[in-house]
Structures are given as C-alpha cells and as structure tokens.
Amino acid sequence: FDTVGGTAECVEGTVRIGSPEGFGSYFLAPRVGRLTDAYPHLNLQLVAASAPFSLANREADIAIAVSHPPAGRLIASKLTDYDLALYASPAYLGSHPTISRPEDLPSHRFVSYIDDLLHFPELDVLRHVVPEGTTALESSNLVAQLRATLGGAGLCVLPAFLGQQEPGLVRVLPGRIKLSRSLWLIVHQDLCHLARIKAVVAFIREEVRAERGIFQLD
C-alpha cells in the first residue's frame, strides 16, 4: 500500500468508516486485518449501520453508501455495482409450495425491511420483486434478515456478495429474478489529502477490485 497511501510510518491516526451493514460486516470486517498489519499506527473504526452518515458532521471519515450523495464538499466515486437476488433456506423451500415461476411468489412469506425505518429508496427492493408480497418478518437490520432467512422465516432479497457466500441459502428463480444497485465511496474534501485516508481508500478499492466476482451474478 506504500505507493498509494504513504509509508507505514506516516500512516497513523484514526479513520472511521461508515458502511452499510452487509458490506461492512460481511465484506470489510474479515479483511481489514491486512490493512492494520500493513500500518501498525493506524486505528480503524468500522460503523456498519443502515442509517446514512454525515461526513460534514464527522460521523465518518470515509463513507460507503448505496446512494450518490447530494452536492457539497464531498468527493464521491462509484466503488462497484452489485446484484441482489432472492434467497431461501432449504427447510423453507421443502415445507412450502414449489416456486417455478415469479407468479408463484405472492403465496409465500418474505423477510424484508421495515418501511418507515428504511433510509434509502435503493434498498426498497422487495416491492420490485413481489409488489403484493406478504412479509413474515420485517427488520431494519440486514444481518437479522439474513439470520431469519437461514432459520426458515421466509424468502429474502439479499446482496449476492452475502447470499452466494452462505451455504445455508438457496437462490430462488436464478434465471428470472435479479436486481442491480451501486456502492459509492465518499470522502470529505477536507480529508482526502491525508495519508491515512488515502491508505484506507486505496485498500477498500483494491479489495473490491480483487473480489469483483462476488458482487455480480452470472
């Protein structure tokens, strides 16, 4: 990382990363140890939450977001596109009517977000798949949705980088249902020149680039 972020000696201090739950908990968290190994004087704070982060109010130094930010003193660039698909546990599929076409879906139960706690319209994905679907469980927390789906609570629309990595999930109607969204990497203009910010941004970009295959479905 030295060529982009500076030498290990000059990369020091705290960097707070604000991220959606799925990307922060399931993609970034298992990988950041390599970054702190490379920069022993760097302290990372990872805030994985479904709420937006205000860089102007210093709620995060670097934000990963599903929406392009409004105009302001922010530098935003697309990190990656990612796909979402419909998943369920084998136990759920084995105890409910067969799903062979999209028209079979309205009779099934779904796990999704709580509408009035959903901060990003980009995540209101269930209505694009089954507008008339009935939810069995609603949660503001994507990890809770994942665990409930693994436990057989219902069908759930999940990011491919999460759903495809879970051996306890089966993709439903793989040739018929797929949504695409984007992740944006955002830094405040006042911080973008700092060595520690450059190092973390370079690391995130390289990790996503190296694992680009898990974000998009065939």
Side-chain angles (χ1 to χ4, degrees):
F1 310 119
D2 289 357
T3 57
V4 178
T7 64
E9 288 72 22
C10 73
V11 175
E12 60 180 1
T14 298
V15 175
R16 179 178 294 175
I17 306 168
S19 169
E21 293 165 299
F23 184 81
S25 298
Y26 281 82
F27 185 81
L28 274 186
R31 293 168 170 82
V32 292
R34 294 198 290 272
L35 180 60
T36 52
D37 283 345
Y39 299 117
H41 304 294
L42 179 67
N43 176 57
L44 290 180
Q45 296 179 348
L46 177 58
V47 183
S50 58
F53 299 93
S54 171
L55 274 69
N57 293 333
R58 296 297 192 264
E59 293 176 357
D61 301 311
I62 299 169
I64 312 298
V66 296
S67 301
H68 191 284
R73 292 180 51 78
L74 302 174
I75 300 173
S77 56
K78 185 183 288 187
L79 182 59
T80 186
D81 293 321
Y82 70 98
D83 293 331
L84 302 101
L86 190 61
Y87 296 90
S89 69
Y92 176 87
L93 295 174
S95 60
H96 290 81
T98 299
I99 303 172
S100 57
R101 55 187 186 139
E103 290 77 8
D104 296 329
L105 292 174
S107 62
H108 284 264
R109 303 196 312 257
F110 292 86
V111 176
S112 188
Y113 285 100
I114 303 170
D115 285 345
D116 58 357
L117 296 180
L118 190 59
H119 298 281
F120 304 102
E122 289 84 355
L123 297 182
D124 187 13
V125 291
L126 182 59
R127 67 183 180 89
H128 294 286
V129 175
V130 195
E132 65 276 35
T134 300
T135 53
L137 173 71
E138 297 177 352
S139 175
S140 61
N141 184 289
L142 182 63
V143 177
Q145 293 177 38
L146 169 66
R147 301 301 299 176
T149 306
L150 285 166
L155 302 159
C156 188
V157 180
L158 295 168
F161 66 83
L162 198 163
Q164 294 294 109
Q165 309 305 308
E166 283 288 347
L169 292 179
V170 175
R171 188 177 170 194
V172 177
L173 298 176
R176 308 290 293 274
I177 293 179
K178 182 177 76 169
L179 301 174
S180 295
R181 297 290 186 267
S182 300
L183 289 173
W184 299 85
L185 192 152
I186 309 165
V187 181
H188 198 281
Q189 288 182 1
D190 293 346
L191 303 179
C192 64
H193 65 284
L194 297 176
R196 64 180 182 271
I197 300 296
K198 291 181 178 180
V200 176
V201 166
F203 174 81
I204 294 172
R205 287 200 169 281
E206 180 54 36
E207 290 297 308
V208 169
R209 188 179 301 115
E211 300 281 355
R212 65 172 66 89
I214 72 172
F215 289 96
Q216 296 178 313
L217 297 162
D218 296 332

Coordinates of all heavy atoms in Angstrom, one line a residue, residues 83-86 129 171 173-180 216-218:
D83 N -25.2 -7.0 -7.5 CA -26.5 -7.6 -7.8 C -27.2 -8.1 -6.5 O -26.5 -8.4 -5.5 CB -26.4 -8.8 -8.8 CG -25.9 -8.3 -10.1 OD1 -26.2 -7.2 -10.5 OD2 -25.3 -9.1 -10.8
L84 N -28.5 -8.2 -6.5 CA -29.3 -8.8 -5.5 C -30.2 -9.9 -6.1 O -30.5 -9.8 -7.3 CB -30.2 -7.7 -4.8 CG -29.5 -6.5 -4.1 CD1 -29.6 -5.3 -5.1 CD2 -30.1 -6.2 -2.8
A85 N -30.4 -10.9 -5.3 CA -31.3 -12.0 -5.8 C -32.2 -12.4 -4.6 O -32.0 -12.0 -3.5 CB -30.4 -13.1 -6.3
L86 N -33.0 -13.4 -4.9 CA -34.0 -13.9 -4.0 C -33.4 -15.2 -3.4 O -33.0 -16.1 -4.2 CB -35.3 -14.1 -4.6 CG -36.5 -14.5 -3.8 CD1 -36.8 -13.3 -2.8 CD2 -37.7 -14.7 -4.6
V129 N -39.6 -6.9 -6.7 CA -39.7 -8.4 -6.9 C -41.1 -8.9 -6.8 O -41.6 -9.6 -7.7 CB -38.7 -9.1 -6.0 CG1 -38.9 -10.6 -6.2 CG2 -37.3 -8.7 -6.2
R171 N -30.5 -20.0 -3.9 CA -31.1 -18.9 -4.8 C -32.4 -19.4 -5.4 O -32.4 -20.5 -6.0 CB -30.0 -18.5 -5.8 CG -30.4 -17.2 -6.6 CD -29.4 -16.8 -7.6 NE -29.8 -15.8 -8.5 CZ -29.2 -15.4 -9.6 NH1 -28.1 -16.0 -9.9 NH2 -29.7 -14.5 -10.4
L173 N -35.4 -18.9 -8.2 CA -35.6 -18.4 -9.6 C -34.4 -17.7 -10.1 O -34.4 -16.5 -10.5 CB -36.8 -17.5 -9.6 CG -38.2 -18.1 -9.2 CD1 -39.3 -17.0 -9.2 CD2 -38.5 -19.2 -10.2
P174 N -33.2 -18.3 -10.2 CA -32.0 -17.7 -10.6 C -32.0 -17.1 -12.0 O -31.3 -16.1 -12.2 CB -30.9 -18.8 -10.5 CG -31.7 -20.1 -10.5 CD -33.0 -19.8 -9.9
G175 N -32.8 -17.7 -12.9 CA -32.8 -17.1 -14.2 C -33.8 -16.0 -14.4 O -33.9 -15.4 -15.5
R176 N -34.6 -15.7 -13.4 CA -35.7 -14.8 -13.5 C -35.6 -13.5 -12.7 O -36.1 -12.5 -13.1 CB -37.0 -15.5 -13.2 CG -37.2 -16.8 -14.0 CD -37.5 -16.6 -15.4 NE -38.8 -16.0 -15.6 CZ -39.9 -16.6 -15.7 NH1 -40.0 -18.0 -15.6 NH2 -41.0 -16.0 -15.9
I177 N -35.0 -13.6 -11.5 CA -35.0 -12.5 -10.6 C -33.6 -12.1 -10.3 O -32.8 -12.8 -9.7 CB -35.8 -12.9 -9.3 CG1 -37.2 -13.1 -9.6 CG2 -35.6 -11.8 -8.2 CD1 -38.1 -13.5 -8.4
K178 N -33.3 -10.8 -10.6 CA -32.0 -10.2 -10.3 C -32.2 -8.7 -10.3 O -32.8 -8.1 -11.3 CB -30.9 -10.6 -11.3 CG -29.6 -10.0 -10.9 CD -28.5 -10.6 -11.9 CE -28.6 -9.9 -13.3 NZ -27.4 -10.2 -14.1
L179 N -31.7 -8.0 -9.3 CA -31.7 -6.5 -9.3 C -30.3 -6.1 -9.2 O -29.4 -6.8 -8.7 CB -32.5 -6.0 -8.0 CG -33.9 -6.4 -7.9 CD1 -34.5 -6.0 -6.6 CD2 -34.8 -5.9 -9.0
S180 N -30.0 -4.8 -9.7 CA -28.7 -4.3 -9.6 C -28.7 -2.9 -8.9 O -29.6 -2.1 -9.1 CB -28.1 -4.1 -11.0 OG -27.9 -5.4 -11.6
Q216 N -21.3 -9.6 -8.5 CA -22.3 -9.7 -9.6 C -22.5 -11.1 -10.0 O -21.7 -12.0 -9.9 CB -21.7 -8.9 -10.8 CG -21.7 -7.4 -10.5 CD -21.1 -6.6 -11.6 OE1 -20.1 -6.9 -12.2 NE2 -21.8 -5.5 -11.9
L217 N -23.8 -11.4 -10.3 CA -24.2 -12.7 -10.7 C -24.1 -13.0 -12.2 O -24.1 -12.1 -13.0 CB -25.7 -12.9 -10.3 CG -26.0 -12.8 -8.8 CD1 -27.5 -12.5 -8.5 CD2 -25.5 -14.1 -8.0
D218 N -24.0 -14.3 -12.5 CA -23.9 -14.7 -13.9 C -25.3 -14.4 -14.6 O -26.3 -14.5 -14.0 CB -23.6 -16.1 -14.0 CG -22.2 -16.4 -13.5 OD1 -21.3 -15.5 -13.5 OD2 -22.0 -17.5 -13.0

